[in-house]
């Protein structure tokens, strides 16, 4: 799918009615543009698996990276997956957001990099309302050679960081600000929403 500078929406169902719907991408989805900013790509289904390439770059002399959003009950990014929302020359990195209701499994490459001439790094989010796992081969970059690096946000209910995930986070600190936050039960007006306990656990041998 090639839509330079435009918008691609692949939705098996609405965000509020995800159950049972499936999207599998093993090909290439691109909104990369030679002028101005990268485009917008949104993928929504109950079960999303990406083993292909999703690209919303700007290759313009001046232009920002685009926006990529992947949402589902479960989202799996395979080790062959490459997802990028980069600027090339002068421009800020874009946004890559991966969010699930139940489980987000992250592997492969995710980038929201600034241009080589000027610009700040973008934003990468790998989050879940419940569980998040980070594979050992995951590479995240919001680098900015001539500006301020961007942010990688990890935001599940509870998170166990094992040795492999700790290594990924350590390597990512070279090219990103890394924010790890967990969210337990939420209470408002005397009503509490059940969920995780808000535990962040570093396993034995997990050094950052």
């Amino acid at each position: 799918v090639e839509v330079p500078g435009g918008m691609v929406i692949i939705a098996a169902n609405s965000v509020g009615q995800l159950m049972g719907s499936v999207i599998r991408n093993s090909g290439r989805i691109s909104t990369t543009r030679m002028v101005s900013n990268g485009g917008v790509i949104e993928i929504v289904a109950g079960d999303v698996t990406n083993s292909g390439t999703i690209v919303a770059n700007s290759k313009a002399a001046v232009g920002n990276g685009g926006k990529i959003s992947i949402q589902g009950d479960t989202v799996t990014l395979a080790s062959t997956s490459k997802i990028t929302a980069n600027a090339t020359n002068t421009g800020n990195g874009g946004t890559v957001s991966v969010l699930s209701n139940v489980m987000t499994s992250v592997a492969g490459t995710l980038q929201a990099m600034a241009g080589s001439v000027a610009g700040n790094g973008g934003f990468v989010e790998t989050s879940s309302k419940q569980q998040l796992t980070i594979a050992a081969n995951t590479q995240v970059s919001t680098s900015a050679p001539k500006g301020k690096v961007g942010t990688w946000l990890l935001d599940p209910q509870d998170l166990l960081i094992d040795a492999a995930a700790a290594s990924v986070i350590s390597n990512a600190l070279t090219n990103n600000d890394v924010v790890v936050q967990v969210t337990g039960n939420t209470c408002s007006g005397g009503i509490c929403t059940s969920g995780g306990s808000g535990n962040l656990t570093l396993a034995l041998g997990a050094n950052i």
Side-chain angles (χ1 to χ4, degrees):
V1 179
E2 300 278 347
V3 186
M7 175 180 287
V8 173
I9 300 176
I10 302 175
N13 216 328
S14 67
V15 173
Q17 298 176 321
L18 296 178
M19 186 173 293
S21 57
V22 177
I23 289 177
R24 304 273 191 269
N25 175 52
S26 58
R28 177 182 172 87
I29 302 171
S30 175
T31 58
T32 293
R33 195 176 186 191
M34 299 300 294
V35 295
S36 191
N37 300 329
V40 176
I41 299 172
E42 295 184 5
I43 300 175
V44 179
D47 182 358
V48 179
T49 299
N50 182 66
S51 58
T53 301
I54 302 176
V55 185
N57 297 339
S58 171
K59 292 189 175 181
V62 179
N64 301 324
K67 179 179 179 180
I68 298 171
S69 174
I70 303 173
Q71 299 181 59
D73 287 331
T74 61
V75 178
T76 302
L77 306 182
S79 60
T80 56
S81 161
K82 187 171 185 179
I83 299 175
T84 65
N86 299 330
T88 300
N89 297 295
T90 297
N92 300 322
T95 300
V96 175
S97 176
V98 183
L99 175 63
S100 74
N101 291 321
V102 179
M103 169 66 85
T104 298
S105 300
V106 179
T109 300
L110 298 91
Q111 297 177 345
M113 302 191 304
S116 60
V117 177
N120 297 322
F123 181 74
V124 173
E125 177 181 12
T126 55
S127 297
S128 176
K129 293 181 179 179
Q130 294 187 30
Q131 300 180 59
L132 169 66
T133 63
I134 305 295
N137 73 332
T138 303
Q139 297 181 8
V140 177
S141 180
T142 58
S143 65
K146 300 295 178 63
K148 184 180 184 298
V149 298
T151 299
W152 177 23
L153 171 64
L154 298 84
D155 182 23
Q157 281 186 344
D158 302 300
L159 184 61
L160 169 65
I161 300 178
D162 59 14
S167 177
V168 170
I169 293 171
S170 296
N171 292 334
L173 286 168
T174 303
N175 295 311
N176 312 268
D177 288 333
V178 179
V179 176
V180 179
Q181 63 184 32
V182 290
T183 305
N185 297 343
T186 302
C187 297
S188 177
I191 300 174
C192 294
T193 302
S194 63
S197 56
N199 287 334
L200 173 60
T201 304
L202 286 175
L204 183 66
N207 300 311
I208 298 176

